[in-house]
């Protein structure tokens, strides 16, 4: 509705609106990020891929570790890694510390995509900060940190949505 009140004609009340607005904000940021990544040479990178690249990290990880971090099965993590390997973002290699383990590691393209994502997120945040009244975005971030229990930066969105 144009007056800032929730649209009750669809049965949405105040309690339901908060999580939907938070999710809509998340979705708009992620959609904008991926549109910009596509413009900058990463058209096949999807939101789940970005989370997987974060879960793999600069040190690499096994499929089981990636699955645990994303809240998905080892097999699903393996399939995601296969797709990322096809796209040139990761490669598989033996672990020098334990030859039985196969690590998924970021390629230079994967590292570049993560660095580019960080810059784009910064640009999006700056635009949000300019759009809102002065001080509103830092206050919102502080308030959300106070309300979110435990670990703020969780990567298990794919598993959470799938369960």
């Amino acid at each position: 509705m144009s007056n800032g009140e929730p649209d009750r004609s669809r049965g949405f009340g105040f309690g339901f609106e908060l999580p939907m607005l938070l999710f809509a904000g998340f979705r708009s940021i992620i959609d904008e990020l991926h549109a910009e990544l596509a413009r900058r040479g990463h058209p096949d990178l999807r939101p789940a891929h970005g989370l997987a690249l974060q879960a793999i990290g600069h040190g690499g990880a096994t499929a089981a570790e990636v699955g645990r971090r994303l809240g998905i099965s080892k097999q699903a993590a393996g399939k995601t890694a296969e797709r990322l390997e096809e796209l040139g973002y990761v490669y598989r290699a033996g672990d020098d510390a334990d030859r039985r383990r196969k690590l998924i590691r970021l390629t230079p393209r994967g590292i570049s995509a993560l660095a580019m994502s960080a810059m784009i997120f910064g640009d999006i945040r700056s635009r949000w900060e300019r759009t809102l009244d002065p001080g509103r975005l830092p206050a919102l971030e502080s308030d959300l940190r106070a309300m979110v229990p435990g670990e703020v930066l969780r990567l298990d969105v794919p598993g959470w949505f799938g369960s």
Side-chain angles (χ1 to χ4, degrees):
M1 299 188 86
S2 61
N3 65 0
E5 290 295 315
D7 181 357
R8 296 190 193 280
S9 66
R10 295 188 204 148
F12 298 163
F14 286 111
F16 185 81
E17 188 179 28
L18 175 61
M20 295 307 293
L21 284 170
L22 290 169
F23 180 73
F26 170 79
R27 173 82 190 259
S28 71
I29 290 170
I30 297 302
D31 287 348
E32 186 176 344
L33 167 74
H34 282 274
E36 187 60 28
L37 283 170
R39 280 191 286 280
R40 296 186 189 190
H42 300 279
D44 296 320
L45 202 57
R46 302 288 174 256
H49 297 152
L51 290 168
L53 292 174
Q54 290 286 337
I56 294 164
H58 291 286
T62 65
E65 290 167 338
V66 172
R68 200 168 31 258
R69 292 170 188 167
L70 295 176
I72 60 176
S73 70
K74 174 183 172 182
Q75 292 76 15
K79 286 182 93 87
T80 300
E82 282 177 26
R83 181 66 180 140
L84 288 170
E85 192 169 20
E86 290 168 8
L87 295 171
Y89 291 100
V90 302
Y91 67 97
R92 295 173 195 252
D95 183 352
D96 293 339
D98 184 347
R99 293 282 183 202
R100 295 169 296 175
R101 291 174 21 124
K102 278 283 193 200
L103 290 179
I104 304 162
R105 295 190 179 274
L106 300 176
T107 64
R109 181 170 171 78
I111 293 167
S112 174
L114 284 178
M116 191 178 297
S117 294
M119 288 187 319
I120 295 168
F121 275 133
D123 293 344
I124 293 169
R125 187 192 179 283
S126 293
R127 187 176 46 74
W128 277 48
E129 192 164 29
R130 287 189 310 272
T131 301
L132 298 174
D133 290 337
R136 293 277 312 269
L137 187 58
L140 174 61
E141 290 169 333
S142 177
D143 290 345
L144 288 171
R145 277 187 213 97
M147 296 305 298
V148 174
E151 187 181 340
V152 175
L153 303 175
R154 294 177 59 175
L155 299 174
D156 64 350
V157 173
W160 181 78
F161 269 122
S163 60

